[in-house]
Amino acid sequence: QLSNVPEMEEGGGMHGNGIHHVNVNGSLYPAKVKSRRQMWDVQPSEMANNTLNPIRAIVDGMKLTPNPDKPMIALSIGDPTVFGNLPTDDAVLQAMKDAIDSQKFNGYAPSVGYLQSRQAVANFYSCPEAPLQAEDVILTSGCSQAIELVINVFCNPGDNILVPCPGFSLYKTLAVSMGIKVKLYNLLPEKSWEIDLQHMESLIDERTSCLIVTNPSNPCGSVFKKEHLQKILKVASKHCVPILADEIYSDMVFPGCNSSSLASLSSDVPILSCGGLAKRWLVPGWRMGWILIHDRNNIFGSEIRQGLVKLSQRILGACTVVQGALESILNNTPERFYRDTISFLQSNSEICFNELSTVPGLNPVMPSGAMYLMVGIEMERFPDFKDDVDFTERLVTEQSVFCLPASAFEYPNFFRIVVTVPEEMMVEACIRIREFCQHYHRPPSSDCNDLDQ
C-alpha cells in the first residue's frame, strides 16, 4: 500500500503521498523547485518578432481616407469572392453539402490527407510527362501552408532562397521568420515579366537551397512561355537547385496563351509544386491546398518525402470536410465554369489595359492570366508625389480608388490592380484614375518648349 512506502528526504523525488514523479529521462524530480525568476517577463519569440508581412507593413502605414463624395472601389484585394460577382459553381457547393451530410468526414484524417482525396488530386494533375500517384500528393491547409512546408523541408537557418521580384510577399514572410535569407531575382516588365535569368543565376551560391518560380504570377499576371520555363530549368539543373513551383493559378490562363507546368518539362530537376482550390475554384476561404512531388530521378530519396510527412503532422492536416468533397469537386466541376471565369478576367484585364494605356504617365503591362495587372508610374511626371505609396494613397483620398502600391512587392513605381471586380466598377475606376493622373501629370520640359513655339 502507498501509505506503507516511506517518504524520501527532501529533494529525493518522492512527495508526501509516496508517489514518484519521474521525468522523461528517468530521473526523479526534486520535491521543491526554486523559481529562478523574481518577476514576470514574458517575451515574444524571435520567430514572432521576425515575422513581417510587407503588404500589411505598408498598407497599415498609409492614410486611407476615401473621398466621401465617391463610393470606394478597392482594386487591392486578391480575393475573388469580395464583390459577389464570381461565385463558385453549384457542383462545388453540392460536393461540400454531400460531404457534410454523409457525416464521414467529421474526424481526424491522416496528416497528409485521405488517401482517396490524394488520389483524386493525383489523377487530376497527372500527365504522361509528369505522372503522379497518391503518394506524390500531400494535402495542406491552403496553398500558403504548402509553401511553408516546402520552404521548411528544404531550408535551414542561414540558407538562402531565390524569390521573384516583384513577387508574392508570403515567401519572404515565411523565410525571414525562420532565419532564411531571401535573394530577389528581377522580373522584366519590358519582356512581359520574364525572369532575368542572368541575374537569377548570379545569386546562386552553396547555401542556395531552393528556387521559387511563380507561374502564372501574382502580382504580375504573367504566364511564362514553354521556352522560358526550359531556360529556368536549365539554370536549376546546372546548379543542382530544387524548385518550389507556386502554381496556384495554373490553368487560369487567357485563351491564346499556353501554360505548361514546370514538372512536365523537367528531365532531372526535382520540383515540389504548390497549388489548391482557392483561385481556380473561387473558394480561398476553404483552405485546401496541396504539394505535388515530382522527382522522377529519385533525387529526394525518401528523406524529403518523410520530412514533408513529419512537417504535416504539426497541424494534423487540412480540413476533412473539404477533403471529403475534393474528388467530386475535381471530377464534376463543368468546363463551362472555368471558361466563364477566365473569360471574365480576360475581359476586365483588356478593359483596364486599354483604358490606362492612354493615360499620361502610366504604363500598364497586359497580363496573360491569373487575376492581376501591374501598372508602371512615370514618377518624374508626377512631381507632387514622392513614390508609389504616396501616389496610391492620394488616389484613395481624392478618387476613392485603392490600388496596392508595388513597394509592397519590393518593386517601387508600380501599382497592382486586381481585375476580379464587376465590369462597371472596373470602368469607373479607370475613369477616376485617368482624371487623377490628368490633374497631376506634368509633361517633360521639352514638350513644354514645343508648346511655347
Side-chain angles (χ1 to χ4, degrees):
Q1 293 179 358
L2 289 177
S3 59
N4 293 330
V5 180
E7 292 185 13
M8 295 180 66
E9 294 179 6
E10 184 175 324
M14 183 180 289
H15 294 289
N17 59 10
I19 298 175
H20 287 273
H21 290 261
V22 183
N23 68 14
V24 289
N25 62 17
S27 64
L28 299 176
Y29 286 126
K32 293 181 180 179
V33 180
K34 292 184 179 180
S35 173
R36 297 183 181 181
R37 288 180 177 166
Q38 303 302 314
M39 62 181 68
W40 284 99
D41 183 23
V42 183
Q43 300 293 328
S45 67
E46 287 186 19
M47 176 180 277
N49 285 333
N50 291 334
T51 299
L52 176 70
N53 184 325
I55 294 179
R56 288 262 55 91
I58 287 179
V59 172
D60 290 349
M62 297 174 71
K63 300 180 182 69
L64 300 176
T65 307
N67 183 338
D69 297 328
K70 297 187 177 185
M72 182 70 170
I73 301 177
L75 304 179
S76 58
I77 307 167
D79 181 348
T81 71
V82 168
F83 296 97
N85 60 312
L86 288 174
T88 191
D89 192 77
D90 288 343
V92 178
L93 297 177
Q94 190 58 51
M96 276 291 276
K97 293 172 184 175
D98 291 345
I100 293 170
D101 289 342
S102 75
Q103 298 201 51
K104 294 179 180 178
F105 308 106
N106 295 337
Y108 290 120
S111 64
V112 293
Y114 290 120
L115 182 63
Q116 184 175 351
S117 305
R118 295 163 65 202
Q119 188 63 57
V121 174
N123 293 343
F124 192 81
Y125 285 103
S126 186
C127 64
E129 301 80 15
L132 291 166
Q133 296 296 326
E135 61 263 27
D136 302 316
V137 178
I138 291 180
L139 300 183
T140 61
S141 182
C143 187
S144 296
Q145 196 214 0
I147 293 167
E148 181 181 28
L149 293 185
V150 173
I151 293 175
N152 271 318
V153 83
F154 280 152
C155 305
N156 288 307
D159 286 351
N160 65 75
I161 61 174
L162 306 188
V163 171
C165 182
F168 185 37
S169 61
L170 184 71
Y171 309 138
K172 183 173 183 179
T173 300
L174 294 172
V176 171
S177 72
M178 296 184 281
I180 299 160
K181 183 178 179 182
V182 172
K183 293 186 175 183
L184 300 174
Y185 63 81
N186 292 329
L187 305 183
L188 304 170
E190 68 275 12
K191 292 187 176 182
S192 299
W193 301 110
E194 284 190 350
I195 295 173
D196 183 338
L197 294 168
Q198 187 175 357
H199 180 236
M200 182 184 79
E201 186 170 9
S202 72
L203 300 174
I204 298 173
D205 62 23
E206 68 280 357
R207 294 300 302 267
T208 302
S209 53
C210 174
L211 164 62
I212 297 182
V213 178
T214 314
N215 185 52
S217 167
N218 173 14
C220 302
S222 55
V223 179
F224 295 148
K225 292 182 171 64
K226 177 180 178 181
E227 295 75 21
H228 189 60
L229 291 172
Q230 289 170 328
K231 291 176 182 177
I232 297 168
L233 288 166
K234 187 176 180 180
V235 173
S237 177
K238 177 181 175 182
H239 296 278
C240 299
V241 178
I243 292 178
L244 185 171
D246 184 348
E247 297 178 330
I248 186 65
Y249 295 98
S250 69
D251 301 312
M252 292 184 74
V253 176
F254 300 162
C257 302
N258 293 319
S259 174
S260 302
S261 70
L262 262 178
S264 69
L265 303 174
S266 176
S267 59
D268 63 326
V269 178
I271 295 167
L272 296 183
S273 173
C274 299
L277 288 182
K279 303 302 166 67
R280 194 179 184 200
W281 286 269
L282 306 175
V283 286
W286 289 12
R287 310 312 301 139
M288 175 54 62
W290 46 73
I291 300 169
L292 309 181
I293 304 170
H294 296 280
D295 183 29
R296 273 165 287 169
N297 293 352
N298 201 33
I299 292 168
F300 289 153
S302 62
E303 290 84 0
I304 292 293
R305 289 174 183 267
Q306 280 302 310
L308 287 169
V309 171
K310 291 176 182 178
L311 289 168
S312 74
Q313 292 168 348
R314 288 165 54 158
I315 70 162
L316 296 180
C319 174
T320 54
V321 176
V322 187
Q323 288 188 54
L326 197 48
E327 184 176 13
S328 180
I329 290 171
L330 297 176
N331 294 339
N332 297 329
T333 303
E335 282 295 323
R336 166 193 46 77
F337 167 74
Y338 303 131
R339 286 197 307 269
D340 288 351
T341 302
I342 292 170
S343 177
F344 173 82
L345 295 173
Q346 182 181 29
S347 175
N348 254 11
S349 296
E350 290 173 346
I351 289 170
C352 184
F353 176 78
N354 291 335
E355 287 296 320
L356 298 187
S357 290
T358 59
V359 173
L362 296 186
N363 296 301
V365 182
M366 180 63 194
S368 300
M371 313 186 315
Y372 311 100
L373 182 149
M374 288 279 275
V375 182
I377 313 168
E378 297 175 16
M379 291 306 303
E380 69 275 12
R381 302 286 173 259
F382 299 97
D384 293 80
F385 310 115
K386 60 183 179 181
D387 54 25
D388 56 310
V389 177
D390 193 21
F391 182 97
T392 52
E393 185 178 270
R394 293 277 287 279
L395 184 58
V396 172
T397 303
E398 298 184 20
Q399 295 290 344
S400 297
V401 175
F402 185 25
C403 305
L404 195 62
S407 288
F409 307 107
E410 303 196 67
Y411 205 81
N413 303 336
F414 275 76
F415 60 86
R416 187 192 74 174
I417 288 177
V418 178
V419 298
T420 57
V421 300
E423 181 178 316
E424 61 274 14
M425 292 180 71
M426 179 60 72
V427 171
E428 173 63 19
C430 289
I431 291 171
R432 295 188 199 176
I433 293 171
R434 176 185 296 276
E435 182 180 313
F436 178 81
C437 290
Q438 286 176 336
H439 179 72
Y440 286 104
H441 181 265
R442 301 291 178 267
S445 56
S446 59
D447 290 359
C448 294
N449 293 335
D450 291 341
L451 292 172
D452 290 341
Q453 292 175 356

